[in-house]
């Protein structure tokens, strides 16, 4: 079917995609492959005329992200033969391979971790020394280089050719692509359908997709949506012809030099190409409005801004030093606040999908659009979409904050992505009522959905700033101290960042019961742990539900799922008489945990706290230090303890009172790092394991499912998963420590030297002295007692599958009603 550049648009379609770059055309292609063909794509100018056409076109297997690695591998397979064979459209694939260089041990640690992740995905990947680099790339100055990650299957392609091929593939399956037709409005009709207005008429559709690139943010405003992203400009330079390249029989590998060049260097036919992401003074454009008349837009080169890195590049490639620059490309690219694209449902509405904010369209685009197509058609993607879900940002992400964070992200583009790297720009946004108090006490905070949550506490002369490393360091000592305090006495943590939602009304029980896999708590004060599923029976959200009173339930989940939870509830709401209210900003929460927690809490409440008066996994409204609060007897760290939830304005006074009462028992603040280590010791699964990739049987959480209850969303798919051979299962591993590297997730797990899966979460258990991990592996390898190996930091470690928690396997401590001394015997 040919492109349409004249005449009116069709009046209806199943899907309208607005934007004809690699993201929009990639989605049209993959939707058509998933079986949806009633697709209209609108492009205001020509395909690729936004950001796509001026991309440099590189793609690499060098990524430490497990999900993104799957996308990259798919994309390389697509570019290197499949797409051209299918469509007849050339993509001009250059399979030259690439190197990522390291000048320091920190960089080498990054490459070793990337190697471990790549091996779990089956990549052709290795760490090499200077001799191998020089053999394949004899012109690069390797002074100071100590090693490199070699990914031989990498390369680069023509971005316009890729996009035209994706468009051709979409057309071949029935999609309509209409050029020279600008969308002018997107609004939802009372029917729930969407009306896309354009220069040639209106289209009513079931699904609308914002693939607007640098226009995506302002397009979102048409529909009242805040889609955080900012246009940043990026340079690359093409040199005059390089004499040394004229007689080369093979193209040189792409070089990624993060430390000195802050970018990449490669051949461009017989010329050189240098791309730079400057690490200071980044440039934003179109902060308020990208002009509609912009087409194939480029900006004048700003040599002064990039000169330090350009000079370094010429020093690294001396054969470029005396050559002229024959072409400069300085174009705009969308940068979301955290650098990850916005792929998935827009917040608060139904069937409005984001396919935008992609700073590396050629490298990431088609793989991510394949996942979005699966999400739209089947109800779930096949990789975890947590890092890309547009709903990971809330109302706090205003325009000024977006710009601040986009500038920060741009400068970090070629920095070492240390584990838990703390991005500090634009913070704090949503400090808890305890923020200033904890800051005075040395808290090092992390941002989660805008909230400031303590990670760890600096003391004993350790500075408050983070100490980044792939290896153990002084932070681990601080975390170990916090764990010891909780396990031996009492600890307190600010957990105000949790999402807190109330569902109430005459139909609240019936409504919630149709959504959750577990049985709802039947008695007032009952607590249940359960899961919300999507239409494919895969896990959307792990949820704690507390029955506060008849027809009133309190829902708690991880902070970054707030909008996802609200959307899930509203999506499945029909005519039920229920009220859904968000309490996340009005209520705060603290956790009081440890064998002395009962003693400390009893100092400020008259409520009975023994087993007879306050049973395990129950909730009560009690008065603490004169403030009425809800206390939940539960523990994510596996000790006797309570979570205390209540009005934000009361929480600081409650915290201060408990701290004072706990002084005699060595009370200590603890943060999310200690909490994570303790939950791993207790074999408690978290967000890293419970994703949209897996069913409840695959996650091995069927103990939280009541198959005999009535229908719930995903029940049939859960039963089907139970009856079929599982492709993988979540196993709990103990890994031999070496005292240096513990792993960070995504590492290859092997049985008899053959990869059988990868780790999801890894942490050192300070109490038990073991590295503990959850790993998705083949069922044959998941039997308790099975001996495995795990590739951590490029080296194999012995591991064994456990069948019970490494700490307190009978879970006696959280339920104890004995004095501390007796309970510890």
């Amino acid at each position: 079917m040919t492109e349409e550049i004249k005449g009116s648009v069709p009046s209806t379609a199943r899907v309208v995609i607005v934007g004809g770059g690699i993201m929009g055309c990639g989605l049209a292609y993959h939707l058509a492959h998933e079986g949806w063909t009633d697709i209209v794509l609108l492009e205001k100018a020509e395909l690729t005329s936004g950001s796509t056409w001026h991309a440099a076109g590189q793609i690499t297997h060098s990524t430490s992200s497990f999900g993104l690695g799957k996308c990259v591998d798919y994309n390389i397979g697509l570019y290197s033969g499949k797409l051209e064979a299918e469509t007849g459209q050339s993509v001009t694939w250059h399979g030259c391979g690439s190197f990522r260089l390291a000048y320091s041990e920190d960089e080498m640690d990054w490459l070793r971790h990337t190697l471990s992740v790549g091996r779990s995905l089956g990549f052709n990947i290795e760490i090499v020394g200077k001799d191998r680099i020089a053999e394949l790339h004899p012109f690069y100055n390797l002074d100071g280089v100590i090693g490199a990650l070699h990914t031989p299957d990498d390369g680069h392609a023509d971005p316009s050719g890729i996009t035209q091929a994706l468009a051709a593939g979409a057309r071949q399956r029935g999609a309509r692509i209409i050029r020279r037709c600008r969308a002018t409005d997107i609004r939802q009709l009372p029917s729930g359908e969407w009306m896309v207005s354009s220069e040639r008429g209106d289209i009513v559709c079931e699904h609308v997709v914002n693939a607007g690139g640098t226009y995506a943010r302002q397009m979102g405003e048409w529909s009242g949506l805040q889609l955080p992203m900012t246009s940043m400009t990026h340079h690359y330079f093409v040199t005059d012809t390089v004499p040394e390249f004229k007689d080369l029989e093979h193209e040189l590998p792409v070089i990624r030099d993060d430390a000195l060049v802050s970018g990449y260097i490669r051949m461009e036919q017989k010329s050189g190409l240098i791309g730079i992401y400057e690490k200071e003074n980044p440039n934003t454009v179109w902060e308020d409005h990208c002009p509609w008349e912009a087409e194939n837009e480029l900006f004048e080169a700003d040599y002064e801004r990039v000169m330090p890195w350009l000079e370094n590049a010429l020093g690294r490639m001396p054969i470029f030093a005396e050559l002229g620059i024959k072409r400069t490309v300085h174009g705009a690219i969308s940068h979301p606040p955290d650098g990850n694209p916005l792929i998935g449902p827009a917040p608060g509405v139904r069937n409005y999908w984001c396919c935008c904010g992609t700073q590396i369209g050629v490298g990431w685009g088609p793989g991510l659009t394949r996942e979005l197509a699966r999400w739209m058609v089947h109800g779930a993607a096949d990789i975890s979409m947590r890092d890309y879900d547009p709903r990971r940002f809330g109302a706090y992400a205003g325009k000024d904050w977006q710009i601040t964070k986009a500038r920060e992200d741009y400068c970090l583009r070629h920095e070492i992505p240390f584990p838990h790297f703390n991005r500090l720009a634009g913070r704090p946004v949503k400090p808890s009522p305890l923020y200033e108090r904890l800051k005075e006490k040395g808290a090092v905070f992390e941002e989660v959905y805008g909230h400031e949550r303590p990670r760890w506490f600096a003391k004993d002369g350790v500075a408050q700033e983070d100490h980044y490393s792939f290896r153990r360091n002084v932070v681990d000592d601080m975390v170990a101290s916090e764990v010891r305090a909780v396990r031996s006495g009492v600890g307190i943590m600010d957990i105000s960042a949790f999402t807190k939602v109330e569902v109430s009304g005459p139909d609240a029980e019936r409504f919630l019961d149709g959504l959750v896999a577990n049985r709802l708590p039947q008695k007032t004060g009952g607590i249940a742990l359960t899961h919300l599923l999507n239409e494919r029976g895969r896990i959307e959200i792990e949820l704690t539900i507390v029955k506060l009173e008849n027809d009133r339930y309190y829902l708690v989940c991880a902070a970054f799922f707030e909008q996802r939870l609200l959307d899930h509830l509203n999506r499945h709401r029909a005519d039920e008489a229920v009220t859904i209210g968000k309490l996340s900003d009005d209520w705060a929460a603290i956790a009081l945990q440890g064998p002395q927690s009962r003693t400390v809490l009893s100092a400020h409440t008259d409520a009975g706290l023994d087993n007879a008066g306050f049973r395990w996994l129950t909730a009560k409204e009690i008065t603490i230090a004169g403030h009425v609060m809800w206390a939940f007897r539960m523990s994510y760290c596996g000790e006797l303890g309570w979570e205390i939830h209540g009005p934000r304005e009361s929480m600081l006074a409650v915290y201060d009172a408990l701290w004072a009462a706990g002084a005699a028992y060595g009370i200590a603040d603890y943060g999310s790092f200690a909490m994570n280590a303790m939950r791993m010791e207790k074999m408690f699964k978290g967000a890293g394991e419970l994703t949209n990739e897996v069913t409840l049987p695959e996650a091995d959480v069927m103990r939280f499912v009541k198959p005999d209850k009535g229908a719930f969303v995903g029940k049939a798919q859960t039963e089907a998963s139970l009856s079929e051979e599982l492709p993988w299962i979540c196993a709990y591993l103990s890994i031999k420590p070496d005292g240096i590297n513990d792993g960070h997730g995504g590492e290859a797990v092997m049985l008899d030297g053959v990869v059988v899966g990868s780790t999801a979460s890894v942490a050192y258990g300070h109490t038990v002295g073991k590295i503990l991990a959850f790993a998705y592996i083949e069922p044959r390898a998941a039997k308790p007692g099975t001996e495995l190996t795990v590739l951590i930091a490029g080296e194999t470690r012995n591991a064994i599958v456990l069948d019970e928690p490494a700490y307190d396997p009978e879970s006696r401590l959280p339920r104890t009603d004995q004095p501390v001394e007796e309970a510890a015997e």
Side-chain angles (χ1 to χ4, degrees):
M1 183 175 293
T2 59
E3 292 176 312
E4 299 177 24
I5 57 174
K6 295 181 180 180
S8 61
V9 298
S11 59
T12 62
R14 186 171 198 172
V15 184
V16 173
I17 301 169
V18 182
I22 193 168
M23 300 303 291
C25 292
L27 181 61
Y29 172 88
H30 288 103
L31 282 173
H33 276 262
E34 294 295 332
W36 283 9
T37 55
D38 185 11
I39 301 166
V40 173
L41 184 150
L42 302 179
E43 165 53 45
K44 75 176 184 68
E46 297 294 333
L47 299 185
T48 80
S49 61
S51 296
T52 299
W53 76 275
H54 62 67
Q58 284 100 218
I59 182 170
T60 177
H61 281 104
S62 175
T63 173
S64 299
S65 165
F66 186 83
L68 198 56
K70 288 185 175 181
C71 292
V72 166
D73 192 52
Y74 167 77
N75 293 346
I76 289 176
L78 199 65
Y79 302 159
S80 61
K82 180 179 181 298
L83 188 58
E84 189 169 323
E86 176 188 348
T87 65
Q89 168 72 44
S90 172
V91 301
T92 319
W93 172 249
H94 297 258
C96 56
S98 68
F99 290 109
R100 187 180 293 279
L101 305 184
Y103 293 85
S104 68
E105 279 302 316
D106 281 336
E107 286 183 293
M108 285 300 297
D109 284 343
W110 170 24
L111 302 188
R112 292 177 186 117
H113 176 61
T114 303
L115 174 74
S116 299
V117 175
R119 289 281 168 81
S120 74
L121 291 163
F123 293 170
N124 181 14
I125 186 170
E126 62 178 342
I127 290 178
V128 298
K130 292 170 67 171
D131 289 347
R132 181 61 171 160
I133 305 169
E135 177 185 349
L136 296 178
H137 199 303
F139 304 108
Y140 206 81
N141 176 359
L142 298 177
D143 290 349
V145 172
I146 59 175
L149 191 71
H150 184 207
T151 41
D153 297 333
D154 293 356
H156 58 97
D158 169 29
S160 295
I162 294 168
T163 306
Q164 296 291 351
L166 292 167
R171 284 192 223 99
Q172 289 168 4
R173 292 175 179 263
R176 301 179 69 177
I177 295 176
I178 302 177
R179 299 177 291 126
R180 297 291 171 186
C181 180
R182 180 168 75 85
T184 57
D185 194 17
I186 300 172
R187 59 188 175 91
Q188 194 164 29
L189 302 175
S191 65
E193 296 172 301
W194 293 91
M195 177 178 286
V196 180
S197 299
S198 79
E199 295 172 322
R200 292 196 236 154
D202 298 336
I203 311 175
V204 175
C205 56
E206 180 183 354
H207 298 265
V208 66
V209 180
N210 183 338
T214 55
Y215 298 94
R217 179 184 52 76
Q218 65 204 56
M219 285 168 50
E221 292 172 355
W222 293 340
S223 309
L225 298 172
Q226 178 177 271
L227 304 179
M229 65 192 81
T230 301
S231 295
M232 310 290 301
T233 63
H234 162 60
H235 290 84
Y236 68 82
F237 306 91
V238 180
T239 72
D240 289 336
T241 300
V242 182
E244 290 83 354
F245 289 174
K246 288 183 178 180
D247 297 325
L248 288 180
E249 295 181 0
H250 303 287
E251 185 172 345
L252 297 172
V254 177
I255 296 284
R256 289 175 173 83
D257 189 326
D258 302 285
L260 297 183
V261 178
S262 191
Y264 48 86
I265 296 176
R266 68 167 172 85
M267 293 176 64
E268 174 69 4
Q269 298 182 16
K270 298 301 180 181
S271 298
L273 186 148
I274 305 167
I276 292 170
Y277 284 83
E278 60 273 21
K279 295 184 179 182
E280 57 186 34
N281 301 319
N283 183 54
T284 60
V285 293
W286 305 329
E287 292 181 0
D288 293 313
H289 179 83
C290 181
W292 293 112
E293 64 272 16
E295 182 177 344
N296 298 100
E297 191 84 5
L298 291 178
F299 302 89
E300 290 294 323
D302 187 345
Y303 284 98
E304 182 176 354
R305 196 171 84 237
V306 301
M307 188 53 69
W309 295 277
L310 183 56
E311 288 178 343
N312 285 350
L314 298 179
R316 293 287 103 182
M317 281 290 285
I319 59 174
F320 292 174
E322 302 302 321
L323 300 176
I325 301 294
K326 68 179 179 183
R327 184 180 176 219
T328 299
V329 176
H330 184 203
I333 305 172
S334 292
H335 277 252
D338 59 2
N340 287 329
L342 276 62
I343 308 293
V349 293
R350 187 170 183 177
N351 292 345
Y352 185 116
W353 302 87
C354 298
C355 187
C356 49
T358 311
Q359 56 171 286
I360 307 176
V362 172
W364 300 350
L368 287 173
T369 60
R370 178 180 66 164
E371 297 306 321
L372 179 56
R374 289 169 171 170
W375 200 345
M376 293 173 65
V377 174
H378 306 297
D382 285 345
I383 68 168
S384 173
M385 299 300 287
R386 170 183 159 182
D387 290 341
Y388 317 112
D389 194 324
R391 299 169 295 181
R392 68 188 185 272
F393 300 109
Y396 63 88
K399 191 174 293 184
D400 289 344
W401 184 85
Q402 293 175 32
I403 294 168
T404 297
K405 299 301 285 187
R407 288 173 175 270
E408 177 188 52
D409 176 72
Y410 184 95
C411 292
L412 294 173
R413 180 73 188 83
H414 281 271
E415 291 287 355
I416 302 171
F418 286 110
H420 311 295
F421 187 85
N422 212 355
R423 299 184 176 213
L424 300 176
R427 292 170 51 190
V429 180
K430 295 164 66 175
S432 87
L434 309 183
Y435 177 78
E436 291 298 335
R437 180 78 81 250
L438 300 181
K439 183 179 179 182
E440 292 170 1
K441 297 166 75 173
V444 176
F445 294 95
E446 61 190 349
E447 181 264 317
V448 284
Y449 200 68
H451 298 277
E452 295 289 331
R453 180 174 67 186
R455 277 182 165 174
W456 58 283
F457 287 79
K459 56 184 179 180
D460 299 332
V462 176
Q464 287 198 16
E465 62 266 18
D466 278 310
H467 299 258
Y468 298 121
S469 177
F470 284 85
R471 306 181 182 197
R472 287 197 210 165
N473 59 22
V474 68
V475 175
D476 296 272
D477 298 334
M478 301 293 101
V479 173
S481 175
E482 294 171 22
V483 170
R484 282 194 300 271
V486 175
R487 295 283 192 231
S488 63
V490 60
I492 191 167
M493 180 180 173
D494 182 1
I495 56 171
S496 300
F498 275 133
T499 291
K500 299 172 283 289
V501 170
E502 184 177 295
V503 177
S504 59
D507 294 334
E509 180 177 6
R510 178 169 63 88
F511 171 63
L512 288 174
D513 192 55
L515 296 181
V516 300
N518 202 349
R519 189 168 288 116
L520 288 175
Q522 298 301 299
K523 296 181 179 179
T524 299
I527 299 175
L529 183 67
T530 187
H531 303 86
L532 299 175
L533 309 180
N534 55 45
E535 288 79 0
R536 295 180 75 176
R538 298 181 182 179
I539 299 170
E540 283 289 309
I541 302 171
E542 183 186 46
L543 199 63
T544 297
I545 299 182
V546 184
K547 186 172 184 177
L548 301 182
E549 56 189 59
N550 284 337
D551 301 334
R552 183 181 172 214
Y553 296 85
Y554 183 67
L555 283 55
V556 182
C557 69
F560 43 79
F561 288 144
E562 179 174 290
Q563 189 61 50
R564 192 164 166 176
L565 172 59
L566 292 169
D567 286 353
H568 192 89
L569 294 173
N570 285 309
R571 178 184 178 187
H572 290 93
R573 180 179 177 180
D575 57 353
E576 294 92 350
V578 296
T579 299
I580 300 169
K582 185 183 76 171
L583 295 177
S584 301
D585 297 330
D586 300 324
W587 278 29
I590 56 177
L592 186 72
Q593 302 288 319
Q596 293 287 2
S597 59
R598 179 182 279 121
T599 306
V600 172
L601 184 56
S602 66
H604 290 286
T605 184
D606 295 330
L609 301 178
D610 60 4
N611 282 355
F614 207 138
R615 293 184 299 107
W616 167 245
L617 288 182
T618 62
K620 285 189 175 184
E621 194 172 37
I622 66 176
T623 299
I624 306 173
H627 298 268
V628 178
M629 313 295 284
W630 275 95
F632 307 156
R633 189 174 169 190
M634 57 190 296
S635 174
Y636 197 47
C637 63
E639 298 289 345
L640 174 69
W642 281 263
E643 289 186 8
I644 299 166
H645 295 238
R648 179 184 178 88
E649 59 270 18
S650 298
M651 199 55 69
L652 180 58
V654 171
Y655 169 88
D656 285 343
L658 295 174
W659 182 267
Y665 304 97
I667 192 169
D669 293 295
Y670 70 99
S672 63
F673 283 8
M675 180 176 66
N676 183 61
M678 290 186 283
R679 73 100 179 174
M680 293 294 291
E681 291 182 328
K682 282 299 299 172
M683 198 178 171
F684 292 156
K685 297 181 176 72
E689 294 73 54
L690 306 175
T691 76
N692 59 267
E693 299 165 280
V694 298
T695 64
L696 296 171
E698 292 166 0
D700 192 26
V701 290
M702 286 301 294
R703 64 188 178 281
F704 300 112
V705 180
K706 295 297 182 285
D708 59 343
K709 65 169 284 188
F712 58 86
V713 174
K715 181 178 182 181
Q717 292 78 9
T718 301
E719 292 171 341
S721 179
L722 269 176
S723 65
E724 299 168 354
E725 183 177 351
L726 299 179
W728 51 17
I729 194 167
C730 190
Y732 181 55
L733 310 183
S734 172
I735 305 171
K736 184 178 180 181
D738 70 351
I740 301 172
N741 295 293
D742 296 331
H744 304 284
E747 290 89 358
V749 180
M750 292 164 285
L751 175 64
D752 298 328
V754 178
V755 174
V756 292
S758 65
T759 61
S761 295
V762 184
Y764 184 73
H766 296 279
T767 314
V768 299
K770 301 173 181 177
I771 301 172
L772 301 168
F774 286 110
Y776 275 96
I777 56 180
E778 295 175 20
R780 67 186 177 92
K783 298 174 183 177
T786 303
E787 295 182 354
L788 304 167
T789 55
V790 180
L791 189 65
I792 295 178
E795 297 182 354
T796 56
R797 306 275 191 82
N798 293 331
I800 190 168
V801 180
L802 304 180
D803 63 351
E804 62 182 14
Y807 178 77
D808 187 24
E810 296 179 355
S811 292
R812 186 167 63 93
L813 295 177
R815 298 173 171 83
T816 185
D817 201 25
Q818 304 171 48
V820 174
E821 293 79 7
E822 296 179 26
E825 290 178 358

